[in-house]
Amino acid sequence: MAYREDKAGGRRMAPGRAAGKTGKKPGFQRETKAGRKPGYRPEDKAVKRPGERTTAAAGRDRHGREDAKGKAAAEWNNRTEADMGEIGDGSVIEGRNAVMEAFRSGRPVDRLYIQDGCHDGPVLSIKREAQKQSAMIKYVEKERLDQMSETGRHQGVIAVTAAYEYASVEDILQAAEEKKEPPFLILLDNIEDPHNLGAIIRTANLAGAHGVIIPKNRAVGLTSTVARTSAGALNYTPVAKVTNLGKTIEDLKKQGLWFVCADMEGTPMYRLDLKGPVGLVIGSEGEGVSRLVKEKCDLSAAIPMRGNIDSLNASVAAGVLAYEIVRQRLN
């Protein structure tokens, strides 16, 4: 701003710059007291309306583009579905001491997440305890643990506990013996959807199956979603988790069971004799029963289909085959 000296040696505004006037060209928009033009909204401070998340909270930068935090969150959400962690449904235990005590107390742990590169003494001790309980161990990046963590103090380890305790295969066979019935088991291979697992447990209970067997790897565990979908059947139908499904089939064969797996290329189920001590093996919708497990089975059963699509939902297929076994047992 231009000034000139007055007679007293002081300074005063040049003509046309009197106090209270901006001296700006016509059309200039005066700034408000806050130093901002009316209607101005800073890019770095988004206005948050009731019930609305700011771009920062949503994992986006000031221009609305997805930032690193948002990308990490999206990546974790995708991996959660793929890995069946069901973190939001299960109980999450964080920190080395807390996780170790969970194992020592016998709490059923479905999955143990360890930060990649952590191999010190306490972590190795936790890993040994997890192996004793046949809990799945997954090594992940620190960023992923940060996304899972609720406290921010995971110390490189997070355990996800099961909503219900697992039974043993011996418990299932004992249940059949107590009822004086030939064992009827349902074995699941690659069932990763908790809703499918819950529905199959519900069907198993209603069809009179003595228990369900799931593998440790590539399978959903007993989360609260599974419990809800089972409509209470999980309280009555034991579920066992085994390390190797093929090895379990071999061991059960030695105890008199024989096995039939669902397979589109198999023999129509109505032509098979499904009586006696039997294990029904169901695979996922996309992959079906894996080759190694299928080779262990004695028979393959196909469900007759007359529609335009080529497969049934896994839980529906389990229900159809389970009730064919029930029909034959009743005759």
Side-chain angles (χ1 to χ4, degrees):
M1 184 178 290
Y3 289 87
R4 67 179 182 179
E5 299 288 332
D6 62 10
K7 294 182 179 180
R11 293 195 303 168
R12 64 180 182 177
M13 287 185 180
R17 301 288 179 126
K21 295 184 179 181
T22 63
K24 301 291 182 181
K25 295 178 181 180
F28 172 77
Q29 190 174 27
R30 241 178 354 127
E31 293 188 345
T32 63
K33 291 182 180 180
R36 293 193 283 267
K37 298 175 184 178
Y40 172 80
R41 180 181 298 173
E43 290 182 340
D44 59 343
K45 291 185 179 181
V47 176
K48 183 178 180 181
R49 297 181 177 88
E52 180 183 4
R53 298 175 65 193
T54 63
T55 56
R60 296 184 178 275
D61 60 19
R62 63 180 183 172
H63 301 295
R65 295 188 296 264
E66 191 175 45
D67 59 14
K69 179 179 178 182
K71 290 179 180 177
E75 181 181 4
W76 166 241
N77 288 334
N78 292 334
R79 288 180 177 177
T80 298
E81 183 175 357
D83 292 337
M84 300 78 62
E86 292 288 315
I87 301 303
D89 287 332
S91 175
V92 176
I93 302 175
E94 305 177 30
R96 300 182 177 187
N97 290 335
V99 171
M100 177 60 82
E101 288 304 317
F103 279 116
R104 287 175 174 170
S105 67
R107 290 189 65 178
V109 175
D110 263 341
R111 291 170 183 259
L112 174 66
Y113 293 87
I114 299 177
Q115 182 176 324
D116 197 14
C118 280
H119 301 292
D120 55 21
V123 171
L124 291 177
S125 298
I126 292 172
K127 180 180 176 180
R128 284 193 294 270
E129 292 295 326
Q131 290 171 336
K132 291 178 184 178
Q133 294 193 21
S134 297
M136 179 183 288
I137 302 173
K138 297 183 73 70
Y139 290 92
V140 296
E141 297 295 327
K142 180 179 182 298
E143 290 75 15
R144 186 170 177 189
L145 290 178
D146 292 340
Q147 289 290 333
M148 296 168 62
S149 176
E150 298 175 353
T151 67
R153 297 186 294 274
H154 53 74
Q155 299 177 309
V157 290
I158 290 179
V160 181
T161 63
Y164 283 74
E165 290 190 14
Y166 292 98
S168 66
V169 176
E170 289 72 22
D171 293 333
I172 296 175
L173 296 177
Q174 181 64 31
E177 185 178 345
E178 291 175 355
K179 293 182 178 180
K180 298 181 179 180
E181 297 173 348
F184 174 19
L185 283 59
I186 296 180
L187 295 82
L188 307 179
D189 188 25
N190 298 330
I191 299 296
E192 301 180 349
D193 183 356
H195 297 90
N196 264 336
L197 177 57
I200 291 172
I201 294 172
R202 183 176 185 177
T203 297
N205 178 265
L206 293 172
H210 301 103
V212 175
I213 299 177
I214 62 175
K216 180 178 73 172
N217 297 316
R218 299 189 66 189
V220 66
L222 297 183
T223 66
S224 57
T225 298
V226 173
R228 288 196 301 270
T229 310
S230 76
L234 194 52
N235 294 302
Y236 305 100
T237 302
V239 177
K241 183 168 67 172
V242 298
T243 303
N244 189 313
L245 201 60
K247 178 66 165 56
T248 300
I249 290 175
E250 289 181 347
D251 293 339
L252 288 170
K253 280 185 176 181
K254 296 175 183 177
Q255 301 188 51
L257 277 81
W258 59 276
F259 292 86
V260 55
C261 70
D263 184 7
M264 292 173 56
E265 304 300 325
T267 304
M269 62 181 188
Y270 301 120
R271 300 180 187 173
L272 297 175
D273 182 357
L274 303 177
K275 298 175 182 177
V278 63
L280 172 61
V281 184
I282 302 292
S284 65
E285 294 175 43
E287 300 179 13
V289 178
S290 62
R291 179 183 59 84
L292 293 177
V293 172
K294 187 184 299 184
E295 290 176 353
K296 305 290 184 182
C297 295
D298 303 288
L299 300 171
S300 295
I303 300 172
M305 289 181 284
R306 297 292 183 266
N308 297 320
I309 57 176
D310 60 0
S311 66
L312 288 169
N313 173 278
S315 62
V316 174
V320 172
L321 287 167
Y323 269 92
E324 175 58 19
I325 293 175
V326 171
R327 185 189 69 81
Q328 293 192 21
R329 285 193 167 200
L330 292 176
N331 291 337

